[in-house]
């Protein structure tokens, strides 16, 4: 593996292999060496990539290179191989070794919730039920993670993954390995989703405005096909087509793009926006320094909210209505790990007081205190591994 492109290709090969492995594991099939081989080979390839101070060096176009932290990709492959070759107990032992108070935390979740009957799960993905990865496009879900979550989902009426990331190309459905129909995959904070019958549904948006965004997306896609700009689709957040919004990276956390080059690219995107539509009438640009967000300035016909004000609580309400979750039935479980996930709690409480929240702190004590101050009954665990293991344990009870 030499280039960034071959790295992504390799990760998508592990996704395809993982999807088959998840089905086999859920059916308790005996796995053969050849089924696990693609993951073994992928791990060996990643580990053989040239390294410089804990960063892996990959080629971009020409002589240029990029340094990446591949700990998510490597660690998740190692955990999967342990799970697949040595079994669930071996994986749990390993997790116990790498996470402080692993068993105590699992036990406290299980003892608090084992008597409860859950009907609906709505959970954030990254940092909540999936470990964080520096690049969205290579954050392929691991086998053990998908197996644990699916076992829990099977006990429910509805299980929803609700992310602010896009749905497709590249989005939530591209990096998930759970069986089709096990989850409703909701993206762009819930404004678009794939239902259990594999149909895409979305929030209403005016045709004229959608056309402008489609036009912009097509132009931006061809821009980043130009070898000179291809790297911007491959670093950090990359290129993401969200509902009513497009994200293109101009920098990543390791600052792999020289400052001048990053600013020149920003200018190019801004020019493209003004060429396609009068900026104020159609688009709003937000530049975070790492990502450029191009947002359609649609007024939300249904709720009267500006799309920038649409939060995950609105996403929950939209899904309740359109995906028929029947949350008034109670037994609602909400999971998240950042302030943007908190609005899902009152949204669920609006339908039923029988709502439980489990949040993941990822070591952020300030956030832990914030969520507990707002919703004192919230259960807090420290990592996604602990949350998914606890859900797996609850499914087996
Ligand atoms: Mg998150």
């Amino acid at each position: 593996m030499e280039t960034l492109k071959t790295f992504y290709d390799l990760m998508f090969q592990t996704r395809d292999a993982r999807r088959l492995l998840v089905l086999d594991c859920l059916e308790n099939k005996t796995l053969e060496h050849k089924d696990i081989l693609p993951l073994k080979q992928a791990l060996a390839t990643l580990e053989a990539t040239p390294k410089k101070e804990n960063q892996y060096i990959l080629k971009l176009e020409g002589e240029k290179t990029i340094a990446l932290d591949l700990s998510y990709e490597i660690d998740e492959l190692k955990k999967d191989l342990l799970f697949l070759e040595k079994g669930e107990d071996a994986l749990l032992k390993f997790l116990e070794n790498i996470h402080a108070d692993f068993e105590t935390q699992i036990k406290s979740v299980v003892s608090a919730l084992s008597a409860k009957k859950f009907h609906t799960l709505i959970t954030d993905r990254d940092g909540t039920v999936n470990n964080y990865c520096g690049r969205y496009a290579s954050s392929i879900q691991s086998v053990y993670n998908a197996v644990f979550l699916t076992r829990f989902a099977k006990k429910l009426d509805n299980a929803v993954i609700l992310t602010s990331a896009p749905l497709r190309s590249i989005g939530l459905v591209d990096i998930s390995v759970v069986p089709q129909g096990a989850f409703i995959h909701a993206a762009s904070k819930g404004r678009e989703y794939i239902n259990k019958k594999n149909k895409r549904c979305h929030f209403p948006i005016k045709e004229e405005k959608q056309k402008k965004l489609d036009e912009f997306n097509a132009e931006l896609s061809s821009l980043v096909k130009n070898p000179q700009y291809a790297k911007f689709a491959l670093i950090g957040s990359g290129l993401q087509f969200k509902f009513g919004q497009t994200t293109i990276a101009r920098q990543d956390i390791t600052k792999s793009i020289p400052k001048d080059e990053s600013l020149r690219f920003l200018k190019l995107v801004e020019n493209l926006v003004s060429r396609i539509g009068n900026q104020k009438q159609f688009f709003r640009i937000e530049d975070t320094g790492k990502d450029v967000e191009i947002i359609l300035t649609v007024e939300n016909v249904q709720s009267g909210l500006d799309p920038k004000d649409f939060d995950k609580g609105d996403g929950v309400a939209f899904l309740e209505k359109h995906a028929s979750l029947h949350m008034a039935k109670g037994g609602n479980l909400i999971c998240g790990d950042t302030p943007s996930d908190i609005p899902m709690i009152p949204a669920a409480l609006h339908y039923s007081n029988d709502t439980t929240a489990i949040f993941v702190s990822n070591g952020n004590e300030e956030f832990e205190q914030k969520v507990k101050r707002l919703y004192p009954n919230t259960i807090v665990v420290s990592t996604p591994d602990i949350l998914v293991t606890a859900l797996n344990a609850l499914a087996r009870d």
Side-chain angles (χ1 to χ4, degrees):
M1 182 179 75
E2 284 202 318
T3 67
L4 192 52
K5 169 84 173 59
T6 51
F7 160 68
Y8 281 117
D9 291 344
L10 180 72
M11 290 316 295
F12 278 96
Q13 284 164 21
T14 72
R15 176 202 60 184
D16 297 341
R18 279 164 155 158
R19 283 182 175 162
L20 298 174
L21 287 162
V22 168
L23 294 177
D24 289 346
C25 289
L26 288 167
E27 287 169 18
N28 294 316
K29 274 193 192 154
T30 311
L31 301 173
E32 286 177 45
H33 180 70
K34 67 168 175 37
D35 304 326
I36 304 174
L37 196 60
L39 300 193
K40 282 192 127 156
Q41 287 170 337
L43 177 63
T45 308
L46 291 181
E47 287 185 319
T49 306
K51 247 177 127 175
K52 200 174 153 194
E53 294 159 9
N54 289 328
Q55 303 255 314
Y56 292 83
I57 311 297
L58 291 167
K59 278 188 192 154
L60 291 166
E61 92 282 4
E63 292 300 299
K64 289 191 178 154
T65 60
I66 190 165
L68 298 179
D69 174 354
L70 299 181
S71 18
Y72 173 88
E73 292 82 350
I74 289 175
D75 291 351
E76 293 302 300
L77 277 170
K78 283 183 181 166
K79 288 188 219 166
D80 266 355
L81 287 168
L82 195 58
F83 177 66
L84 296 165
E85 292 181 318
K86 305 263 186 284
E88 194 164 325
D89 288 342
L91 174 71
L92 296 184
K93 256 218 148 51
F94 176 79
L95 294 178
E96 197 183 326
N97 282 329
I98 59 168
H99 299 302
D101 306 322
F102 181 79
E103 248 196 281
T104 329
Q105 293 190 63
I106 306 279
K107 274 189 184 148
S108 74
V109 176
V110 172
S111 68
L113 302 179
S114 62
K116 253 187 162 355
K117 172 81 186 127
F118 288 110
H119 297 296
T120 297
L121 164 72
I122 304 184
T123 179
D124 166 59
R125 178 186 190 258
D126 302 285
T128 302
V129 291
N130 207 92
N131 289 309
Y132 268 119
C133 172
R135 290 150 305 279
Y136 197 72
S138 58
S139 67
I140 308 294
Q141 186 177 20
S142 31
V143 175
Y144 74 92
N145 182 283
V147 169
F148 287 3
L149 284 172
T150 305
R151 281 180 187 153
F152 184 71
K154 279 178 187 282
K155 302 266 172 179
L156 311 171
D157 301 339
N158 295 294
V160 183
I161 307 280
L162 202 172
T163 175
S164 53
L167 192 59
R168 297 189 289 205
S169 35
I170 290 167
L172 179 60
V173 294
D174 304 303
I175 52 176
S176 297
V177 303
V178 290
Q180 192 191 311
F183 286 82
I184 293 172
H185 284 109
S188 307
K189 295 184 181 169
R191 282 172 291 173
E192 53 177 342
Y193 65 96
I194 300 269
N195 68 16
K196 289 186 197 167
K197 291 181 182 137
N198 209 22
K199 185 175 176 289
R200 176 179 178 257
C201 311
H202 64 81
F203 209 77
I205 199 166
K206 275 189 190 150
E207 204 182 322
E208 181 204 11
K209 304 231 170 179
Q210 185 60 54
K211 263 191 175 160
K212 283 282 176 194
L213 186 60
D214 292 345
E215 199 184 321
F216 172 80
N217 287 343
E219 293 258 356
L220 187 62
S221 301
S222 55
L223 182 72
V224 296
K225 280 203 183 96
N226 179 335
Q228 198 184 345
Y229 306 117
K231 61 175 86 76
F232 295 103
L234 301 170
I235 59 152
S237 305
L239 175 60
Q240 302 189 356
F241 300 123
K242 302 178 193 179
F243 186 78
Q245 183 175 339
T246 296
T247 304
I248 179 75
R250 70 176 181 92
Q251 192 54 279
D252 62 9
I253 37 171
T254 50
K255 295 210 164 46
S256 52
I257 309 287
K259 203 175 165 195
D260 288 1
E261 194 180 348
S262 169
L263 283 171
R264 273 201 304 277
F265 184 70
L266 170 65
K267 196 80 211 145
L268 210 60
V269 174
E270 286 173 345
N271 289 343
L272 184 59
V273 168
S274 13
R275 187 152 62 76
I276 287 175
N278 171 318
Q279 199 185 315
K280 291 213 176 73
Q281 193 191 345
F282 291 103
F283 301 112
R284 187 161 62 80
I285 299 180
E286 270 179 25
D287 172 39
T288 69
K290 290 193 184 67
D291 298 338
V292 192
E293 304 271 5
I294 300 91
I295 305 160
L296 263 193
T297 56
V298 280
E299 52 305 316
N300 180 325
V301 273
Q302 199 174 34
S303 64
L305 287 171
D306 189 284
K308 75 174 190 293
D309 298 316
F310 191 99
D311 66 27
K312 282 188 169 181
D314 300 309
V316 168
F318 176 67
L319 291 164
E320 160 65 24
K321 192 171 163 196
H322 293 271
S324 308
L325 302 182
H326 303 296
M327 293 175 78
K329 200 171 162 184
N332 303 317
L333 178 60
I334 302 295
C335 303
D337 81 307
T338 55
S340 67
D341 297 317
I342 296 177
M344 296 195 287
I345 305 176
L349 284 167
H350 173 77
Y351 301 108
S352 169
N353 280 330
D354 183 16
T355 292
T356 306
I358 311 180
F359 270 56
V360 180
S361 67
N362 293 309
N364 184 343
E365 273 180 40
E366 208 179 307
F367 173 69
E368 178 172 351
Q369 280 159 14
K370 183 181 176 178
V371 69
K372 278 192 171 160
R373 195 167 56 240
L374 290 167
Y375 300 98
N377 295 330
T378 304
I379 299 169
V380 177
V381 297
S382 61
T383 74
D385 281 346
I386 291 174
L387 176 54
V388 297
T389 307
L391 296 181
N392 181 52
L394 284 170
R396 299 203 138 177
D397 258 10

